[in-house]
Amino acid sequence: PKMKEDNCLHAALICLGMLYCSHALAAEKLNHSRPSLHGHHEKGKEGQVLHRSKRGWVWNQFFVIEEYTGPDPVLVGRLHSDIDSGDGNIKYILSGEGAGIIFVIDDKSGNIHATKTLDREERAQYTLTAQAVDRNTNRPLEPPSEFIVKVQDINDNPPEFLHENYHANVPERSNVGTSVIQVTASDADDPTYGNSAKLVYSILEGQPYFSVEAQTGIIRTALPNMDREAKEEYHVVIQAKDMGGHMGGLSGTTKVTITLTDVNDNPPKFPQSVYQMSVSEAAVPGEEVGRVKAKDPDIGENGLVAYSIIDGDGMDMFEITTDYETQEGVVKLKKTLDYETKKSYSLKVEAANVHIDPKFISNGPFKDTVTVKIAVEDADEPPVFLKPSYIFEVQENAASGTVVGKVHAKDPDAANSAIRYSIDRHTDLERYFTINAEDGNIKTIKALDREEIAWHNISVFAVEVHKQHQEAKVPVAIKVVDVNDNAPKFAAAYEAFVCENARSNQQFITISADDKDDSANGPRFIFSLPPEIIHNPNFTLRDNRDNTASVLVRREGFSRQKQDLYLLPIVISDGGMPPLSSTNTLTIRVCGCDSNGSLLSCNAEAYILNAGLSTGALIAILACIVILLVIVVLFVTLKRQKKEPLIVFEEEDVRENIITYDDEGGGEEDTEAFDIATLQNPDGINGFIPRKDIKPEYQYMPRPGLRPAPNSVDVDDFINTRIQEADNDPTAPPYDSIQIYGYEGRGSVAGSLSSLESATTDSDLDYDYLQNWGPRFKKLADLYGSKDTFDDDS
């Protein structure tokens, strides 16, 4: 047997078969008419050896063209077995990938057809299994055999780029051929068959600036010195074409956006050669005068510009800083200006790039200069004193109108307005000085005393005559020069003591002096005795020449009985010009001393007992003693006087009424616990006899908050308040009752319950209201009610 060729194949299939003749030669022809003795042996169930016959397939290498769109199914190939005698007893069965769906077989002839259009890019090959069985019994006549159906590629897929749009950057001024970016396309066709997947790249848009390598897709620069400042962004279209770029091939395109990055290839440049600015002379240092800006088309750090002043007559008066946000140079005032001194300044300002690219250093110096002219504007300035402060001197006790000194101010403006002066009276409240408003001469109004105020600190105002708001102020310190107008005096109130047994030339006290004048007119002090007692027989004086003097005993044998007090005048002179002197009296007391010279007693006993007491203290003590004696005498006198009775007794005995009241007012139920004598004189128990000649009054102010309200009718609260006051009063008697009777009626709207001070009879009083005062007054109401009944009966 041999393979049969299908005469129905199209001319295209014959051509493709010729291209793949190598595959056709690889086809095998299986021809086994009968079982071979040399076949494989298998044991059956009974142990016999089974001889498996070799199958006899006759078939070609199978191919099918993709995307076939003919009217009839495509014949893929034909299967035939050697044992097929053509009688129709053989049945061919096809199974595997796509069997029955894509590939169908004629079970009699073994012809295989493709019923659907195939796509190699979807699936390149199919693995199928063929088998020959007996048509009647379905018994396999041949073992199943696998074969492959390959889908033959055609150029049906265009190239596709990985991205629809690409973005790339390249520095400006780059050399020709600088790589920018690589674009890559892919083709889904079979790269191993023909040129369907062989791609060639070309540039459609972007010439003459860029080019692309045909095989790799690398985009490179094509022009030298491309300038970002001229054009920053380029749009390039790249095409990829298959079939090696030949006609009939498919193609795809992509867009590439290429941006030129900046390099520092441009120096800064001022748009003008001179800047004009102005500033007021009243401007303070640090104030902005104006701004300059050098333009640099570069961006980022390549466009950073730093400004500096390199020359000009205003280098000391002005400074410039860089505002990096706006890339401007800010001219600022450095020192205070004066229009009258200089009216204009000139500066030479330089702008230079901060970062320099060495590759482009040949493009020239990356800096530029400009001239800045600054005009100073005149400002209305306040007067200015010639000195920041003044110090004058004037002697104390100088006559009124003495000139102290002169201040002077001027108007710094060109108008040179007249100035008027005045003293700030808040600094000269006592009005010691006055000033001439026209010329600024300061004079005294009244005499000055250095010992009272040594320095006067005043302030002087200067005001322009025609512009009162322009004012200046200057401090003036006036020193009062000392004049020797105070005589020296004892430094303390000295009192000396000398012993009766003092020895001759014995020193018993050292004295010093004090002078209110300045040290130039004070020390040194000279001590001496007056000329009339220079030969004093009792005492003598010795000047120690250190501003002190010693007093010495001149003779022996003093006696307190003869004379216990001596007054020694001492003359003290200062060293002033002219010198002043004063006579001071030293009191010397004669005292008794022991053998060691210690004081025992003097004629002034109080002084000896308390050497530290002065005369004023002794007088105060004596005055206190006299006052105490007067108080004692008055107390005894008043004690002897008898107190007039304060209570007008009625017919009834007070004792009976009090007992009948059943201890009303104190709140006690025990009426027998009281002694009427104690009530009449309660303080006698403690030994204190109160005065009888005056009416008893409150001895202390009641504490706030204890007194009931004036309109209160609660008698119970009133009585409790009085009891509390009595308990807290250390001068009150120990019984509550005496407070009730003695002070009843104050602060109570009901009045007194006692009739001791009543001038009316019982019949004149109405006691019906006692029924409403509560259970404590029930007995009292009953007593008065029964009394009235008794009287009526009689």
Side-chain angles (χ1 to χ4, degrees):
K2 78 179 151 180
M3 178 179 288
K4 296 180 180 179
E5 296 180 355
D6 190 0
N7 296 325
C8 296
L9 289 175
H10 295 80
L13 290 177
I14 296 174
C15 294
L16 291 175
M18 292 175 66
L19 292 175
Y20 289 90
C21 61
S22 60
H23 297 286
L25 293 177
E28 294 183 4
K29 178 181 177 182
L30 301 178
N31 183 8
H32 297 280
S33 59
R34 57 179 61 88
S36 173
L37 295 176
H38 303 286
H40 296 280
H41 299 275
E42 294 182 358
K43 278 190 176 182
K45 294 180 180 180
E46 297 178 358
Q48 72 274 16
V49 178
L50 297 180
H51 296 277
R52 185 177 63 184
S53 302
K54 293 183 180 179
R55 62 182 180 177
W57 292 109
V58 178
W59 53 293
N60 293 325
Q61 178 76 37
F62 292 159
F63 294 91
V64 60
I65 299 177
E66 66 170 337
E67 306 293 345
Y68 176 75
T69 57
D72 299 325
V74 178
L75 177 63
V76 177
R78 181 181 180 185
L79 299 179
H80 184 74
S81 176
D82 291 343
I83 61 175
D84 185 3
S85 59
D87 54 4
N89 292 327
I90 301 299
K91 180 179 180 181
Y92 296 96
I93 298 175
L94 185 67
S95 62
E97 297 174 345
I101 300 175
I102 299 175
F103 303 101
V104 295
I105 189 170
D106 187 343
D107 58 355
K108 292 182 178 180
S109 63
N111 292 333
I112 301 173
H113 291 82
T115 62
K116 293 183 178 180
T117 301
L118 301 181
D119 186 1
R120 189 200 68 84
E121 286 71 38
E122 180 180 347
R123 189 176 186 119
Q125 64 181 19
Y126 297 85
T127 301
L128 298 174
T129 301
Q131 189 175 18
V133 298
D134 186 276
R135 183 178 297 275
N136 296 322
T137 64
N138 287 330
R139 183 176 63 84
L141 301 177
E142 293 284 348
S145 178
E146 288 185 355
F147 64 94
I148 295 175
V149 178
K150 291 186 177 181
V151 182
Q152 186 174 339
D153 181 55
I154 64 173
N155 188 18
D156 60 342
N157 291 281
E160 293 183 359
F161 284 93
L162 297 180
H163 303 286
E164 184 177 354
N165 293 286
Y166 288 85
H167 295 273
N169 298 322
V170 64
E172 63 173 332
R173 308 285 183 182
S174 295
N175 296 327
V176 175
T178 301
S179 175
V180 179
I181 190 174
Q182 182 178 15
V183 294
T184 303
S186 61
D187 196 318
D189 293 325
D190 189 0
T192 63
Y193 174 72
N195 295 326
S196 298
K198 185 178 181 180
L199 305 181
V200 174
Y201 298 93
S202 62
I203 183 168
L204 300 182
E205 295 181 15
Q207 298 98 340
Y209 307 104
F210 299 95
S211 62
V212 63
E213 292 183 355
Q215 305 302 324
T216 62
I218 297 176
I219 300 174
R220 300 181 183 274
T221 58
L223 281 181
N225 297 324
M226 283 191 292
D227 191 3
R228 184 199 67 84
E229 288 73 35
K231 186 176 182 180
E232 183 177 6
E233 192 172 82
Y234 296 85
H235 297 282
V236 178
V237 176
I238 302 297
Q239 181 189 65
K241 191 174 183 180
D242 59 12
M243 299 299 292
H246 293 91
M247 185 177 296
L250 302 179
S251 64
T253 60
T254 186
K255 294 180 180 180
V256 182
T257 301
I258 301 176
T259 303
L260 297 183
T261 58
D262 184 63
V263 296
N264 190 10
D265 58 339
N266 294 281
K269 185 71 176 176
F270 284 105
Q272 58 197 69
S273 59
V274 178
Y275 283 88
Q276 298 286 348
M277 300 179 183
S278 62
V279 60
S280 173
E281 64 173 333
V284 297
E287 186 173 334
E288 181 178 329
V289 177
R291 295 189 174 214
V292 297
K293 184 175 183 180
K295 294 184 178 179
D296 190 334
D298 296 323
I299 60 175
E301 67 175 13
N302 297 319
L304 294 180
V305 179
Y307 298 88
S308 60
I309 299 175
I310 60 176
D311 197 6
D313 57 359
M315 293 183 65
D316 295 334
M317 304 301 296
F318 300 92
E319 62 182 356
I320 190 168
T321 59
T322 303
D323 186 345
Y324 286 104
E325 292 185 1
T326 61
Q327 290 298 302
E328 293 177 319
V330 183
V331 180
K332 295 182 179 180
L333 184 63
K334 190 176 181 181
K335 295 181 180 180
T336 305
L337 300 173
D338 186 9
Y339 172 80
E340 288 72 26
T341 303
K342 189 173 177 59
K343 297 179 176 56
S344 65
Y345 294 89
S346 178
L347 302 174
K348 189 175 183 180
V349 176
E350 180 184 79
N353 277 138
V354 177
H355 301 283
I356 305 297
D357 192 339
K359 296 179 181 179
F360 305 99
I361 195 69
S362 60
N363 288 10
F366 285 81
K367 57 186 177 181
D368 193 16
T369 59
V370 72
T371 301
V372 179
K373 293 184 177 180
I374 303 174
V376 180
E377 297 178 347
D378 187 21
D380 189 9
E381 300 175 273
V384 177
F385 283 95
L386 298 185
K387 296 181 180 180
S389 62
Y390 291 86
I391 299 177
F392 299 131
E393 291 184 356
V394 61
Q395 286 190 344
E396 65 174 329
N397 302 326
S400 177
T402 301
V403 176
V404 177
K406 181 180 180 180
V407 297
H408 183 68
K410 66 175 182 178
D411 182 10
D413 298 322
N416 195 17
S417 302
I419 306 297
R420 294 187 65 86
Y421 304 94
S422 62
I423 294 177
D424 183 2
R425 289 304 171 188
H426 293 91
T427 61
D428 186 25
L429 298 176
E430 300 296 331
R431 293 184 176 270
Y432 286 104
F433 306 96
T434 183
I435 190 170
N436 189 306
E438 305 296 334
D439 58 13
N441 276 322
I442 301 175
K443 298 180 180 180
T444 60
I445 299 178
K446 53 186 178 181
L448 306 177
D449 187 0
R450 189 204 67 86
E451 286 71 42
E452 182 180 350
I453 303 177
W455 284 86
H456 294 268
N457 296 304
I458 65 174
S459 296
V460 175
F461 290 115
V463 183
E464 293 183 18
V465 174
H466 301 293
K467 299 176 182 178
Q468 298 294 328
H469 64 282
Q470 294 293 359
E471 180 183 78
K473 185 178 181 180
V474 68
V476 179
I478 302 173
K479 179 182 179 181
V480 181
V481 180
D482 183 49
V483 174
N484 192 19
D485 58 347
N486 290 279
K489 296 181 180 180
F490 277 158
Y494 294 109
E495 286 196 39
F497 300 91
V498 63
C499 295
E500 290 180 307
N501 56 356
R503 299 185 303 274
S504 177
N505 292 326
Q506 179 181 351
Q507 175 184 336
F508 60 90
I509 189 172
T510 300
I511 59 175
S512 63
D514 188 15
D515 195 329
K516 293 182 180 180
D517 291 323
D518 194 17
S519 58
N521 293 316
R524 104 166 166 85
F525 299 124
I526 300 173
F527 299 87
S528 63
L529 295 177
E532 61 272 13
I533 62 168
I534 192 66
H535 300 293
N536 186 296
N538 298 314
F539 306 99
T540 184
L541 184 69
R542 183 180 66 208
D543 192 338
N544 297 326
R545 298 184 180 276
D546 60 353
N547 293 330
T548 63
S550 300
V551 183
L552 298 86
V553 177
R554 198 165 192 174
R555 66 177 178 86
E556 297 180 356
F558 291 92
S559 175
R560 283 183 292 170
Q561 287 74 18
K562 293 181 180 181
Q563 186 175 353
D564 60 352
L565 183 65
Y566 294 89
L567 300 177
L568 179 65
I570 298 176
V571 178
I572 307 174
S573 300
D574 59 21
M577 292 298 292
L580 293 180
S581 63
S582 66
T583 302
N584 301 266
T585 302
L586 177 64
T587 302
I588 303 173
R589 296 183 180 277
V590 180
C591 301
C593 303
D594 57 13
S595 58
N596 297 325
S598 301
L599 295 179
L600 295 178
S601 62
C602 294
N603 56 331
E605 296 295 336
Y607 190 92
I608 296 301
L609 292 176
N610 188 0
L613 293 177
S614 62
T615 303
L618 293 175
I619 294 174
I621 294 174
L622 292 176
C624 292
I625 295 174
V626 172
I627 292 172
L628 290 175
L629 291 175
V630 171
I631 292 174
V632 171
V633 171
L634 289 176
F635 182 76
V636 173
T637 303
L638 293 176
K639 190 87 170 165
R640 292 178 179 178
Q641 296 180 4
K642 292 184 178 181
K643 182 178 180 182
E644 296 180 3
L646 300 177
I647 303 175
V648 179
F649 292 93
E650 299 296 336
E651 294 179 9
E652 295 82 17
D653 187 10
V654 177
R655 184 192 304 270
E656 296 177 357
N657 290 336
I658 294 175
I659 296 175
T660 303
Y661 291 159
D662 195 17
D663 194 17
E664 184 59 41
E668 299 290 337
E669 296 296 337
D670 186 6
T671 60
E672 298 178 358
F674 290 92
D675 185 3
I676 190 60
T678 304
L679 292 177
Q680 292 177 348
N681 189 12
D683 294 328
I685 298 176
N686 297 329
F688 177 77
I689 307 299
R691 294 176 59 181
K692 304 295 185 178
D693 56 338
I694 61 174
K695 185 177 180 180
E697 295 293 338
Y698 278 104
Q699 298 180 4
Y700 70 98
M701 292 300 295
R703 292 183 298 170
L706 297 179
R707 186 178 300 278
N711 298 327
S712 175
V713 296
D714 192 349
V715 180
D716 188 28
D717 291 342
F718 175 80
I719 294 174
N720 290 333
T721 300
R722 289 294 181 267
I723 294 173
Q724 187 175 359
E725 291 177 355
D727 292 338
N728 295 328
D729 186 5
T731 63
Y735 297 101
D736 298 336
S737 304
I738 191 65
Q739 289 296 321
I740 298 302
Y741 294 124
Y743 298 95
E744 185 62 42
R746 296 193 179 188
S748 174
V749 295
S752 175
L753 299 179
S754 174
S755 62
L756 296 179
E757 296 182 1
S758 176
T760 61
T761 60
D762 295 338
S763 61
D764 296 332
L765 301 176
D766 184 10
Y767 297 99
D768 294 336
Y769 56 86
L770 296 175
Q771 301 291 339
N772 301 324
W773 281 17
R776 291 195 175 189
F777 295 87
K778 186 175 185 303
K779 291 184 180 182
L780 186 61
D782 293 338
L783 288 174
Y784 273 78
S786 62
K787 186 175 186 299
D788 294 342
T789 305
F790 177 77
D791 292 341
D792 294 341
D793 294 339
S794 62

